[in-house]
Amino acid sequence: MATAVSTQTDKPDEFDEAAEQIVYLDPALLVRDEYNAREHDTEPDYKLISSVKELGVEEAISVRPNPDGTYGVFKGWRRGQAAQIANATAEQDGRPVRTVKAFVRADLVGRDGWTRFLSLVENDHREGMDPWDTLKAQELSLVGMDEVDQARAVRAMGLKRGAVTHLRKAQKLDDAMLRQATAGGMDLEQTAQLAEVEEIANASQRLLRALAKDQEEGRGGRGHWDQEFALLMEEQASAKAHADAMAALQESGVTLLSSLPYATRESARPLSDLTTGLDNPLTADNHHGCHGHCVKLDEENQPVWYCSDPAENGHKVRKQPKKARAAEDEEKAAERSAERARVVACNRAWKAAAGPRQQFVERLVRGKSLPEKARLFAQQVLLELPEFYGKWASKRDITDVARFLGAKEGEDTTAWELSAALPKARLANILLAQVAAAYEADIRDPKTYDMVRYRPAYLWEAPSPRQAAYLLLLEALGQADNGSYALSEVENQAVAQHRPQTLDAA
């Protein structure tokens, strides 16, 4: 293997560029030059390795020949290591084994001080680009490419499918937020998701905490992240629904209770507490012409109608039971308010958790092989035919089954057509799709009814043993799949009493 040999110069700053030639070296011959100025962060990262696997080392490295036939790298050691890693798996991955372009600086043999200086200049000048500029440059490099080149470029940059969309979304973040996301370890897709929900208070901190949980588990999954992001999206949707409802009320011309002076708001009463002078009930319709007619939205964005001055407008207050002492009354009112807030928060979280849960079911169903636990679970339900399964089957709605099997939104493909296209070996996948659809219908609405106590109840307080078993199955399968799925906080709360009791080893 030939190397370029340049003439030794008398002065360290006089190097004949004409004698500088590029040669192609086997990466296995590369070692780190002991006078390489870069002593920290010398390992190649995932993005660099991905690029070298796809494209090779595009920029030549600089080396000095060693007496044992190896070459000491003083510029580009991270690239050299990436080439070694890429070649180690090239054959099994069907990639070519590549050489590395290098400037062989024989003139630097014995000139350790000058070698260290040149290495120092190389590394000192390699400052990272501004995060926003990096995202913009990545996006612009992908836009306009054909599909083949774009797919190759995405792989080379270590990105995932949908990279162009993610890049555009991520650029909506300001520089400070981008740096925070990068420092926290968010990948491009996660950074783009942060951009979608950054208007929610403390969104970045909540997502970073979820990411830290995933990283602590060390499986490479993003189960906690997916749950927190889904909850933020649900909160954002709720905030938008509230804003839209408020805008609709304002457009209708009705007076908003919140727009009235504080003293007026204090004297206002909901129509449910009032009657006409003849003790007839007051409603939004028959109170509409009253000068005190106003409205506010409740926790579920439903209008609650008020009269701002009942006495002035001739209304009577409904007779109320004898009130308890003021302190006790206030305490109970505070408890009721806190309970309402808890119910709203838990209901919202329950609905948000359905997204990541169903996405995980989709991944299970569409996988080449179904975990044995999932097969046995589906098989048991189909053989026992529990009541909830019969209720679901009687409705003959298999939309979720089709979605789990791969139906795309807006397509007319039926579950039967999708299942018929699958090989016999994936019959268990089809069965799981059907059983999971029945469970999802059973737990979709967090509010249920306690037939024993004759009162409303909530699944996040007391799911049935069967419902809890479904959630615990998915949790176990997600953890076995490198932590790709985790139960949300509200789901964990729901299944707590159904978890197997562990005995104290002592």
Side-chain angles (χ1 to χ4, degrees), residues 353-374:
R357 187 176 63 243
Q358 292 175 15
Q359 288 169 8
F360 180 56
V361 171
E362 289 176 17
R363 294 199 298 274
L364 287 172
V365 169
R366 299 178 195 180
K368 291 183 179 179
S369 61
L370 190 69
E372 184 68 1
K373 280 186 178 181

Side-chain angles (χ1 to χ4, degrees), residues 365-383:
V365 169
R366 299 178 195 180
K368 291 183 179 179
S369 61
L370 190 69
E372 184 68 1
K373 280 186 178 181
R375 182 187 70 80
L376 292 174
F377 185 88
Q379 191 170 287
Q380 181 179 3
V381 172
L382 289 170
L383 290 174

Side-chain angles (χ1 to χ4, degrees), residues 311-503:
E312 177 66 25
N313 292 295
H315 306 322
K316 293 168 62 177
V317 177
R318 290 180 183 272
K319 291 182 180 181
Q320 302 290 332
K322 187 176 181 180
K323 287 189 175 182
R325 287 174 297 182
E328 292 182 0
D329 195 46
E330 289 180 6
E331 184 177 343
K332 289 180 180 178
E335 290 176 356
R336 288 195 298 271
S337 178
E339 179 61 19
R340 283 197 301 272
R342 187 178 79 93
V343 168
V344 170
C346 288
N347 283 347
R348 180 185 297 139
W350 187 267
K351 293 174 182 176
R357 187 176 63 243
Q358 292 175 15
Q359 288 169 8
F360 180 56
V361 171
E362 289 176 17
R363 294 199 298 274
L364 287 172
V365 169
R366 299 178 195 180
K368 291 183 179 179
S369 61
L370 190 69
E372 184 68 1
K373 280 186 178 181
R375 182 187 70 80
L376 292 174
F377 185 88
Q379 191 170 287
Q380 181 179 3
V381 172
L382 289 170
L383 290 174
E384 293 181 351
L385 296 175
E387 183 181 0
F388 83 91
Y389 184 82
K391 287 182 179 179
W392 171 80
S394 67
K395 295 180 181 178
R396 301 182 182 276
D397 182 0
I398 55 175
T399 305
D400 284 344
V401 180
R403 179 162 55 83
F404 292 155
L405 289 171
K408 296 180 180 179
E409 190 173 352
E411 287 187 349
D412 293 331
T413 311
T414 66
W416 162 248
E417 291 171 327
L418 290 166
S419 64
L422 295 176
K424 293 179 181 179
R426 296 179 66 186
L427 174 60
N429 301 56
I430 299 170
L431 300 182
L432 177 65
Q434 184 162 308
V435 168
Y439 268 105
E440 290 298 325
D442 189 46
I443 65 175
R444 180 173 291 121
D445 189 348
K447 190 173 182 179
T448 182
Y449 195 79
D450 188 336
M451 298 301 293
V452 176
R453 297 178 177 83
Y454 298 103
R455 67 179 186 184
Y458 299 94
L459 291 182
W460 39 264
E461 285 183 320
S464 71
R466 282 190 181 276
Q467 293 167 333
Y470 172 67
L471 296 176
L472 290 170
L473 169 75
L474 296 182
E475 179 187 52
L477 295 175
Q479 294 309 299
D481 185 36
N482 300 318
S484 63
Y485 172 75
L487 293 183
S488 66
E489 181 181 1
V490 75
E491 289 170 318
N492 262 311
Q493 169 186 301
V495 302
Q497 62 182 316
H498 296 278
R499 289 188 181 281
Q501 299 298 313
T502 56
L503 298 176

Side-chain angles (χ1 to χ4, degrees), residues 11-83:
K11 296 181 181 180
D13 59 346
E14 292 178 0
F15 174 72
D16 184 4
E17 293 185 1
E20 185 177 24
Q21 300 176 26
I22 290 182
V23 298
Y24 291 83
L25 300 177
D26 182 347
L29 297 177
L30 302 178
V31 297
R32 181 180 179 275
D33 194 296
E34 63 178 318
Y35 287 91
N36 189 315
R38 189 182 185 115
E39 297 182 0
H40 301 285
D41 191 26
T42 60
E43 301 292 327
D45 58 21
Y46 170 73
K47 289 185 178 180
L48 177 57
I49 294 171
S50 298
S51 175
V52 172
K53 283 182 177 180
E54 187 68 21
L55 305 174
V57 177
E58 290 289 294
E59 184 179 354
I61 64 175
S62 294
V63 301
R64 296 193 296 175
N66 293 325
D68 62 357
T70 62
Y71 294 83
V73 183
F74 63 91
K75 291 184 182 180
W77 176 226
R78 293 172 72 249
R79 281 168 276 154
Q81 292 177 92

Side-chain angles (χ1 to χ4, degrees), residues 141-312:
S141 68
L142 294 174
V143 173
M145 289 185 181
D146 61 37
E147 291 184 6
V148 175
D149 286 344
Q150 189 178 90
R152 190 181 184 198
V154 165
R155 290 195 300 271
M157 288 189 286
L159 304 179
K160 299 178 181 178
R161 292 181 61 185
V164 175
T165 301
H166 297 329
L167 287 164
R168 287 173 180 164
K169 289 180 179 178
Q171 289 173 58
K172 296 177 182 178
L173 297 173
D174 59 31
D175 286 347
M177 190 68 76
L178 270 175
R179 291 191 186 96
Q180 185 181 25
T182 302
M186 293 186 194
D187 60 24
L188 176 60
E189 181 180 4
Q190 290 169 326
T191 303
Q193 289 178 330
L194 170 59
E196 291 186 61
V197 296
E198 67 166 328
E199 294 180 358
I200 301 294
N202 300 319
S204 61
Q205 290 89 334
R206 289 168 59 181
L207 287 173
L208 285 170
R209 282 196 295 269
L211 179 57
K213 286 183 181 179
D214 288 326
Q215 292 171 339
E216 285 170 9
E217 292 179 357
R219 297 187 179 96
R222 46 181 289 168
H224 296 293
W225 172 283
D226 288 340
Q227 291 289 3
E228 194 63 42
F229 177 68
L231 182 55
L232 285 165
M233 289 291 286
E234 184 69 27
E235 291 174 14
Q236 183 168 268
S238 178
K240 184 180 184 303
H242 180 81
D244 290 346
M246 289 290 286
L249 289 173
Q250 288 177 318
E251 188 176 346
S252 70
V254 68
T255 301
L256 300 178
L257 182 62
S258 59
S259 68
L260 298 175
Y262 176 78
T264 305
R265 294 201 303 271
E266 283 294 289
S267 65
R269 298 289 294 266
L271 298 188
S272 57
D273 289 353
L274 304 172
T275 67
T276 67
L278 298 177
D279 290 329
N280 292 317
L282 283 172
T283 65
D285 291 333
N286 63 18
H287 187 260
H288 189 269
C290 178
H291 293 298
H293 192 61
C294 56
V295 66
K296 79 169 189 177
L297 295 177
D298 64 13
E299 294 90 345
E300 297 181 352
N301 297 321
Q302 297 301 309
V304 179
W305 300 96
Y306 278 73
C307 183
S308 60
D309 195 343
E312 177 66 25

